[in-house]
Amino acid sequence: MERKVRVLVAKPGLDGHDRGAKVVASALRDAGMEVIYTGLHQTPEMIVEAAVQEDVDVVGLSILSGAHMTLLPRVVQLLREKGVDDVLVVGGGIIPEADAEELASAGIARIFGPGCPTSEIASYIKDWFETSERAGV
Amino acid sequence: MPLDVQTLLKRFREGDRVALSRVISLVENDHPSSPVILDTLYPFTGKALRVGVTGPPGAGKSTLVDHVAARMRTDSQKVGIVAVDPTSPFSGGALLGDRVRMSSVNLDDGVFIRSMASRGSSGGLAWKTFEVCEVLDAFGVDRIIVETVGVGQGELEIADEAHSTVVVLVPESGDGVQAMKAGLMEIGDIFVINKSDRESADTARRMLDSALELKPVKNGWRPPVLSTVALKGEGVEELHRKIEEHLRLLVTSGSIQHRRMEGVRAKIVEILRNRIIQSAWERNKLGRLIDAEVVSVMAGGSTPYKSAAEILRKTGQ
Ligand SMILES: Nc1nc2c(ncn2[C@@H]2O[C@H](COP(=O)(O)OP(=O)(O)O)[C@@H](O)[C@H]2O)c(=O)[nH]1
Ligand SMILES: [Mg+2]
């Protein structure tokens, strides 16, 4: 059987809207992925613990609160501290271009803006997965 | 992390949770290393007691599991949670949302929560649920809670895999009656009417109680009907007590030991059957013989039964 791509969709920060995250989660499910959804108000510690327990290939972080410059790099840093360095970390939300560049150098592979079609997110993940070292496992 | 199974297993034995998680994936994905892994871990299994929690979607299973796991932690028990949700038959994907309700134990390093998609298995359980439980067992957890969606159609497997099965229902929508009709009644060792903050909870409880009176007492255990309000943690103490009481009864009566023995037998039979079929199949080149017979049946020269008999004759069986 084809190896399923596992994705954690998490919502760090304090804002109370997870509609966007849920839309993305359902879209990735419809694209054949196994999506673990963790709900609102997740701290970077909670997200990383969930990513470890679920052995996901991808961590998708949806964020609107403006705290992205601290929260997103923190997730990557905590993952690396646990020795998890083969996972794709992407973000979604309203994030200025300049910030996105800085996040890229902090290990957030890609930021998807609010207008981005979910099919684009799904194909980005699939393309990444095919060439990743996780694919054979 | 590079994949060297022996290194991975060494880290696993040292209590490394990243290694545990990777081992679970290898087993869940039926990776070629899976038999070696399960073989290596086998001597460390047999200690964890498994509690199944099933019932209709939205009944409050995950919320209850969260509370029960937290309660088990106060006894210093290590807990594994396996939460199974259905795979979409259309896309092959799955949305696994049970963790949302498990926030009180998700940062506790004595708890390990794993979500699983059913992946084409029909009975509510995933094919590899049992193997994943074995891995958690070998890791050293004392209790494993397996949450599955159950609507009373064919999810009886959970009762085979769990030592004690908790059926969670809600007062409204005639769930009690549905359950009786549909077979959840058969599998429950403990029944819970959750959302008892709602109207008609008492009625539901009484109906269930009287229906259960008809059920024969098994090994000295009469399934109790409990009321809970998972949202507030009400009734969790009593639920936990009943679970432990039932598990204790199963241990002292030797029933768990007996089931393990039967499980071992079934496993050997399964492995042998597959191997024997496979080697006989290849030795006799059955694939090619079948191809030829298919052509003959399609041309009207034979029937499936005649063809099968012909193949058996040719191979001298
Ligand atoms: N009113 C009420 N709502 C509850 C109770 N327990 C759980 N819920 C809610 O029911 C919904 C489903 O709960 P969940 O644990 O995810 O159910 P599951 O699908 O059976 O795992 C959630 O919104 C819970 O907050 C309860 O005792 N009373
Ligand atoms: Mg649930």
Side-chain angles (χ1 to χ4, degrees):
Chain A
M1 203 198 308
E2 188 197 345
R3 157 84 156 77
K4 298 283 180 196
V5 182
R6 283 170 73 85
V7 186
L8 185 81
V9 173
K11 187 92 185 66
L14 297 176
D15 67 279
H17 299 281
D18 64 349
R19 203 172 153 270
K22 280 183 174 156
V23 168
V24 171
S26 315
L28 297 181
R29 187 255 331 262
D30 294 343
M33 302 178 199
E34 292 182 353
V35 183
I36 294 101
Y37 184 66
T38 59
L40 290 166
H41 308 316
Q42 300 286 298
T43 63
E45 285 75 12
M46 289 157 92
I47 291 168
V48 168
E49 191 52 44
V52 165
Q53 293 177 13
E54 300 291 353
D55 192 24
V56 290
D57 306 298
V58 182
V59 176
L61 302 166
S62 159
I63 188 159
L64 295 168
S65 68
H68 52 272
M69 293 311 279
T70 49
L71 294 174
L72 301 194
R74 180 89 180 120
V75 168
V76 176
Q77 184 200 346
L78 288 171
L79 279 170
R80 286 184 184 153
E81 277 171 24
K82 301 231 178 216
V84 180
D85 51 13
D86 54 359
V87 164
L88 176 72
V89 181
V90 294
I94 310 163
I95 289 170
E97 193 72 25
D99 287 358
E101 271 167 38
E102 204 178 317
L103 289 172
S105 60
I108 321 295
R110 176 83 189 263
I111 300 290
F112 298 97
C116 175
T118 52
S119 57
E120 192 181 320
I121 306 177
S123 56
Y124 179 84
I125 290 175
K126 280 188 176 159
D127 290 346
W128 171 84
F129 181 74
E130 268 166 32
T131 57
S132 100
E133 58 185 72
R134 296 186 61 95
V137 181
Chain B
M1 194 175 67
L3 183 80
D4 164 6
V5 173
Q6 288 315 319
T7 316
L8 195 59
L9 287 173
K10 182 168 168 290
R11 286 175 50 192
F12 177 98
R13 293 296 306 146
E14 290 162 0
D16 182 331
R17 286 156 67 91
V18 175
L20 163 61
S21 197
R22 296 274 156 116
V23 166
I24 291 177
S25 298
L26 292 172
V27 167
E28 182 184 16
N29 294 335
D30 212 3
H31 188 266
S33 64
S34 181
V36 173
I37 290 173
L38 292 171
D39 250 11
T40 312
L41 298 184
Y42 189 80
F44 307 103
T45 62
K47 291 187 298 289
L49 298 178
R50 296 187 297 272
V51 180
V53 175
T54 194
K61 299 179 296 297
S62 299
T63 318
L64 271 178
V65 167
D66 185 50
H67 281 288
V68 170
R71 177 62 187 79
M72 287 169 169
R73 292 292 297 141
T74 67
D75 293 337
S76 301
Q77 287 172 333
K78 294 205 172 97
V79 184
I81 298 173
V82 180
V84 186
D85 277 313
T87 289
S88 154
F90 304 106
S91 69
L95 194 47
L96 312 170
D98 295 307
R99 294 188 81 96
V100 175
R101 310 276 163 217
M102 299 185 182
S103 53
S104 72
V105 291
N106 74 0
L107 274 181
D108 181 338
D109 64 9
V111 178
F112 192 97
I113 309 170
R114 183 66 172 235
S115 310
M116 284 182 85
S118 61
R119 294 190 184 175
S121 157
S122 61
L125 272 188
W127 290 121
K128 297 291 173 186
T129 310
F130 180 72
E131 283 80 359
V132 169
C133 287
E134 291 272 286
V135 172
L136 285 165
D137 187 354
F139 194 71
V141 304
D142 303 288
R143 297 286 181 271
I144 300 172
I145 308 178
V146 182
E147 175 186 334
T148 59
V149 176
V151 287
Q153 285 158 2
E155 60 283 304
L156 308 183
E157 296 165 5
I158 181 69
D160 287 338
E161 304 294 6
H163 296 122
S164 186
T165 302
V166 178
V167 172
V168 182
L169 302 166
V170 284
E172 64 270 22
S173 74
D175 269 316
V177 186
Q178 281 306 106
M180 285 174 249
K181 278 194 278 190
L184 281 175
M185 287 292 274
E186 312 295 322
I187 64 169
D189 298 305
I190 297 167
F191 290 83
V192 173
I193 307 281
N194 187 41
K195 307 199 184 182
S196 287
D197 48 335
R198 297 196 176 164
E199 273 173 58
S200 71
D202 272 346
T203 318
R205 190 188 152 133
R206 269 196 306 275
M207 273 174 57
L208 197 55
D209 232 342
S210 64
L212 281 169
E213 269 168 21
L214 303 171
K215 196 178 156 171
V217 174
K218 211 170 69 191
N219 307 322
W221 182 259
R222 188 181 183 289
V225 182
L226 312 175
S227 302
T228 59
V229 182
L231 220 45
K232 298 183 193 146
E234 287 173 25
V236 170
E237 188 60 37
E238 175 71 1
L239 172 58
H240 175 258
R241 186 163 54 238
K242 285 294 177 193
I243 290 171
E244 288 299 320
E245 203 181 303
H246 187 227
L247 291 175
R248 210 156 36 239
L249 177 73
L250 295 175
V251 172
T252 52
S253 68
S255 150
I256 285 184
Q257 188 62 17
H258 179 74
R259 278 180 59 175
R260 188 160 171 83
M261 201 179 81
E262 290 306 311
V264 169
R265 183 189 309 281
K267 193 74 207 170
I268 295 175
V269 168
E270 180 197 318
I271 296 168
L272 266 185
R273 189 167 280 153
N274 288 340
R275 295 261 172 95
I276 289 171
I277 289 175
Q278 198 184 2
S279 70
W281 205 274
E282 282 161 13
R283 188 173 61 246
N284 293 306
K285 301 196 170 50
L286 288 190
R288 252 188 275 162
L289 292 175
I290 292 170
D291 285 346
E293 288 298 328
V294 168
V295 173
S296 153
V297 172
M298 292 307 283
S302 180
T303 69
Y305 279 102
K306 282 184 191 152
S307 284
E310 177 61 14
I311 291 170
L312 286 176
R313 195 188 57 76
K314 276 186 187 154
T315 55
Q317 313 274 331

